[in-house]
Amino acid sequence: MGVTVSTVKDTNGQLPRGAYISGVEEGSPAERAGLKIGDIMVELNGQVITTVSEEIEILSQMKEGDEVAVKVFRPKTVSEDGRISYDGEYVDLTVTLAVVDEIKQ
């Protein structure tokens, strides 16, 4: 997919649980689909995810060329040190999977 993620820890209900995107590779399927640093992936293909392990499990069952429906919580602001605002909106995107190493060439 082309993202670097970490599991959102307990935020006292101020943010949704999911996979926080801390990096998006240039030219990757994630970048082409519109995923951004600061987004929190909360669903893949309609399945709720609350950890990076759940994201990996779902993606491991897919192959290159498959389309993945991704729902993210997109905060209104993301600071340079990665802090995100608690207000934002949910955005639906579609990522077409590809082998990221081949994209860089």
Side-chain angles (χ1 to χ4, degrees), residues 4 9-10 23-24 36 38 43 54 57-58 61 80 84 97 104:
T4 303
K9 305 291 184 203
D10 182 26
V24 179
K36 298 180 179 184
E43 285 184 19
E54 292 171 349
E57 176 63 28
I58 292 167
Q61 298 171 25
E80 288 186 22
I84 61 177
L97 298 179
K104 293 179 181 179

Side-chain angles (χ1 to χ4, degrees), residues 82-98:
R83 294 180 187 208
I84 61 177
S85 61
Y86 295 132
D87 57 332
E89 63 183 349
Y90 287 90
V91 178
D92 293 309
L93 303 167
T94 301
V95 178
T96 302
L97 298 179

Side-chain angles (χ1 to χ4, degrees), residues 6-9 11 14-22 36-42 72-89:
S6 60
T7 298
V8 174
K9 305 291 184 203
T11 62
Q14 294 179 321
L15 290 172
R17 295 189 47 113
Y20 172 78
I21 299 175
S22 59
K36 298 180 179 184
I37 292 173
D39 285 351
I40 299 172
M41 289 189 283
V42 296
V72 300
F73 173 78
R74 179 162 291 161
K76 288 190 178 178
T77 58
V78 180
S79 67
E80 288 186 22
D81 64 357
R83 294 180 187 208
I84 61 177
S85 61
Y86 295 132
D87 57 332
E89 63 183 349

Side-chain angles (χ1 to χ4, degrees), residues 48-63:
V48 173
I49 61 168
T50 58
T51 66
V52 172
S53 297
E54 292 171 349
E55 176 218 7
I56 292 169
E57 176 63 28
I58 292 167
L59 292 177
S60 71
Q61 298 171 25
M62 304 184 83
K63 63 186 181 318

